[in-house]
Amino acid sequence: MTLLKATKLSKVFGGLRAVSNFSLEIQPGELVGLIGPNGAGKTTAFNLLTGVYEPTSGEIEFDGKSVVGLKPYQITQRGIARTFQNIRLFANLSVLDNVKIAYHFHVKYGLVESVLRMGRYHKEEEEIRQKAIQFLKIFQLEDKKDEIAKNLPYGEQRRLEIARALAAQPKLLLLDEPAAGMNPQETHQLMDMIRWIREKFDLTILLIEHDMSLVMGVCERIYVLDYGSIIAHGTPAEIKNNPRVIEAYLGEEVH
């Protein structure tokens, strides 16, 4: 079964059509890229897929069920997690608390147990703490668990954001420009991490990225967006040599 299917999505802001007839399909276990020039509509497409925006028209199905009209937290509960182009951590909370928060989508204790700190509350909170620490170990952040998130170096903040997204136990992970602000060595390490987390967590991944070395290095299929519409779709080799893609990036017709 197709894991994610977007069909003829459009989003209009006033008179501006940010996304037009956007369609894509992702199968379980795939690692797919979404690329395009600045202003092409990539982040708007991500925001549609994750419930930040509701489409003006079109359909989104995840795991065989429509998610149109659901709130972002409801979509996360269904199994889609994301990171953001501009890192959105809980800046003034500790590294550990940033990851613990993601686990609270799955707690079983109720409001009364939480307020009175009774029943299942203590047992589940301790389980969440241990799971969060294990995640921080995986991402080499355990020794920073008590630090305030905003005080981490940029690369570690990016790792923490990915760790937090994975702690929500998604089936599909959306990465919005994960290499933004990284140097070539950090980007290479990120490529290895993306491959590793797909295998480790049995994930399907969709990523937006401007760094072509990263996209071509990790993605099996690539969609290309320009002026809000998909203009090409194929393997990295097919996309690299596609005249319409070259024209969109260079701004001139290729003969």
Side-chain angles (χ1 to χ4, degrees), residues 37-56:
N38 286 330
K42 302 183 297 297
T43 296
T44 300
F46 258 34
N47 286 338
L48 290 170
L49 296 175
T50 55
V52 176
Y53 301 146
E54 188 166 344
T56 304

Side-chain angles (χ1 to χ4, degrees), residues 15-201:
L16 173 66
R17 185 171 289 271
V19 170
S20 179
N21 287 321
F22 174 89
S23 296
L24 117 170
E25 289 191 20
I26 302 177
Q27 307 304 318
E30 283 194 299
L31 208 169
V32 178
L34 177 63
I35 67 172
N38 286 330
K42 302 183 297 297
T43 296
T44 300
F46 258 34
N47 286 338
L48 290 170
L49 296 175
T50 55
V52 176
Y53 301 146
E54 188 166 344
T56 304
S57 61
E59 183 56 65
I60 306 166
E61 291 184 2
F62 179 69
D63 231 357
K65 297 179 180 178
S66 175
V67 295
V68 172
L70 296 185
K71 302 294 186 186
Y73 77 89
Q74 294 172 317
I75 290 176
T76 301
Q77 288 173 329
R78 291 282 183 95
I80 300 178
R82 71 173 291 182
T83 64
F84 292 84
Q85 182 177 348
N86 299 313
I87 295 173
R88 296 190 190 179
L89 295 170
F90 296 101
N92 293 309
L93 294 183
S94 72
V95 168
L96 179 61
D97 283 342
N98 265 272
V99 178
K100 284 174 64 178
I101 283 169
Y103 276 107
H104 283 87
F105 281 112
H106 305 286
V107 295
K108 296 181 177 62
Y109 60 73
L111 179 61
V112 173
E113 289 173 303
S114 174
V115 171
L116 299 179
R117 302 199 170 198
M118 57 182 286
R120 294 171 291 187
Y121 173 82
H122 287 292
K123 181 174 184 293
E124 283 200 55
E125 282 296 312
E126 181 56 27
E127 289 174 356
I128 287 170
R129 174 182 167 80
Q130 293 304 321
K131 287 178 180 178
I133 288 174
Q134 287 304 312
F135 253 95
L136 293 178
K137 282 182 181 178
I138 289 170
F139 287 89
Q140 299 177 335
L141 291 168
E142 184 192 10
D143 61 336
K144 305 288 181 71
K145 71 180 188 300
D146 296 320
E147 290 194 24
I148 300 302
K150 68 181 179 183
N151 295 334
L152 293 179
Y154 182 86
E156 291 183 352
Q157 287 190 35
R158 188 61 86 180
R159 291 212 308 272
L160 176 58
E161 189 182 36
I162 294 173
R164 185 182 63 183
L166 290 175
Q169 301 174 22
K171 298 177 184 176
L172 173 64
L173 176 64
L174 276 57
L175 300 174
D176 191 349
E177 295 199 29
M182 291 187 174
N183 61 41
Q185 180 181 356
E186 289 171 329
T187 299
H188 184 77
Q189 291 171 345
L190 178 66
M191 286 174 62
D192 291 339
M193 185 198 302
I194 290 171
R195 293 191 193 98
W196 179 80
I197 61 177
R198 177 173 70 158
E199 299 301 321
K200 171 76 174 177
F201 297 100

Side-chain angles (χ1 to χ4, degrees), residues 221-233:
R221 292 192 298 119
I222 298 171
Y223 287 87
V224 185
L225 197 61
D226 192 30
Y227 293 106
S229 299
I230 297 293
I231 62 168
H233 163 234

